[in-house]
Amino acid sequence: PYLTVSISGTFHKTYGGLTVYYLFNPEDFSINPGVTEEEFLEHDRILHDDQIRAGFGVSYTLTPAWSVYAGYATVVDGASSHYGDGITLGLQWNRSVPHLWQSASSEK
């Protein structure tokens, strides 16, 4: 069994794009008049978005073919960006492990 710990960080800077204040009223986050349906539906792709994210994760190998993992990420700083935390939990199956064992044993 193996325990793996990792840290991560990302930086994202966008030049151009719509500002969050063009799309939404800062008082109640309602959609501003004049925003088209297309702009609203695509706002995640066309928004001016600057952000720094940081996170960490752990994984534990149960067997050569199975492992479990968990991760956490958050926005450290940003402008016109989505804020919030993200948690990931999972179970991983490496289906190539039996094939690798057969290959390694046949080479001997």
Side-chain angles (χ1 to χ4, degrees):
Y2 295 99
L3 177 68
T4 304
V5 178
S6 60
I7 60 170
S8 64
T10 62
F11 171 75
H12 179 86
K13 178 149 182 78
T14 304
Y15 296 95
L18 302 179
T19 66
V20 71
Y21 300 112
Y22 169 82
L23 295 168
F24 301 104
N25 180 338
E27 294 178 13
D28 61 3
F29 286 102
S30 61
I31 301 170
N32 281 328
V35 173
T36 67
E37 181 179 358
E38 184 178 13
E39 287 172 330
F40 177 72
L41 292 175
E42 298 293 331
H43 76 274
D44 286 326
R45 294 182 343 128
I46 61 176
L47 189 67
H48 176 85
D49 180 22
D50 297 339
Q51 57 180 275
I52 299 172
R53 293 182 183 262
F56 67 92
V58 295
S59 65
Y60 184 73
T61 303
L62 303 169
T63 69
W66 290 95
S67 60
V68 293
Y69 60 89
Y72 171 79
T74 189
V75 175
V76 177
D77 189 29
S80 290
S81 182
H82 288 104
Y83 285 90
D85 302 329
I87 297 174
T88 304
L89 302 171
L91 177 66
Q92 179 178 346
W93 172 48
N94 184 351
R95 63 187 196 100
S96 66
V97 169
H99 172 70
L100 293 175
W101 286 342
Q102 290 170 356
S103 298
S105 64
S106 65
E107 291 175 5
K108 293 181 180 181

